[in-house]
Structure formats: structure tokens, C-alpha cells
Amino acid sequence: EDEVRRMALNTVNVLWYNEQRGKSGGLSQAVSAERPVVISRSAMFSHFEPYFWSMYRGDELDMLLFRVYRNWLHDGLRFPLKAARDMSWSHATFQMVAAWEAAK
């Protein structure tokens, strides 16, 4: 919780991995902070693929940061709010209880 609160103070959170193994728990924290997120194309982020539209994702960090800056000035920033809601423990718990009730 402390790390999520710390990340929520940032203008943007960057997770830039070159590794292609495992899944990133850091992305879950960054999304939970509900701040703009910049990520590389690492397979370590694939569990958030349905939400990539709400993040800044690519191969060139400098270009992505420029896009964040440009959006900040003109278009409005992207925030991963749907991902934060859909991937939250409270949402997952609701789905588990619903599945349990349906199985009775």
C-alpha cells in the first residue's frame, strides 16, 4: 500500500523491461496508483493486454515520454482507470463470490 501511495504522487510511472520471462507485479502497482503508465513491449506485461489502450506502450522510451508530454499539453493524459478497477482485489472478490453463488 505504501508503494502504491508513493507511485500515486508521480506525474507518470515508467516500467521499462527488456526481459521476456514471468509477469510484472510492478505493473499492477503502477496501475493501482491511477497515474499515467509508460511500458515497454516486454511480454512481462501481457497480463494487462486488454488495457494497453489506456497506457503508453512502445519500443522507444524517449518518444513515449514525448507523447505523454504532448498529451499533457493538448489532448489530456491517459489513465489506466478501467484496468485499476477490473484488476482490483475488490472486483476479483465480487467475481469469485458471484461464481460461487452460481455454482450452488
Side-chain angles (χ1 to χ4, degrees):
E1 291 179 14
D2 289 341
E3 181 62 10
V4 172
R5 279 193 292 273
R6 185 190 69 76
M7 294 177 92
L9 298 174
N10 297 335
T11 301
V12 62
N13 289 299
V14 177
L15 292 89
W16 204 260
Y17 301 156
N18 294 315
E19 293 82 13
Q20 299 296 325
R21 55 183 164 58
K23 299 295 175 211
S24 169
L27 182 54
S28 297
Q29 291 178 326
V31 165
S32 295
E34 297 184 352
R35 301 300 303 147
V37 175
V38 174
I39 58 173
S40 59
R41 292 192 185 274
S42 173
M44 294 175 70
F45 303 128
S46 63
H47 54 305
F48 276 89
E49 185 174 357
Y51 306 100
F52 285 163
W53 59 270
S54 66
M55 302 176 202
Y56 297 88
R57 182 172 175 259
D59 298 316
E60 297 181 35
L61 180 56
D62 57 341
M63 296 304 292
L64 290 171
L65 291 174
F66 179 72
R67 186 178 305 153
V68 170
Y69 177 69
R70 188 180 64 220
N71 284 21
W72 177 61
L73 290 176
H74 303 291
D75 305 329
L77 293 169
R78 296 182 203 166
F79 293 87
L81 302 179
K82 183 167 175 30
R85 186 192 71 223
D86 290 356
M87 302 294 272
S88 71
W89 280 111
S90 58
H91 185 73
T93 302
F94 176 77
Q95 290 179 315
M96 289 171 53
V97 169
W100 181 266
E101 293 296 324
K104 287 184 178 180

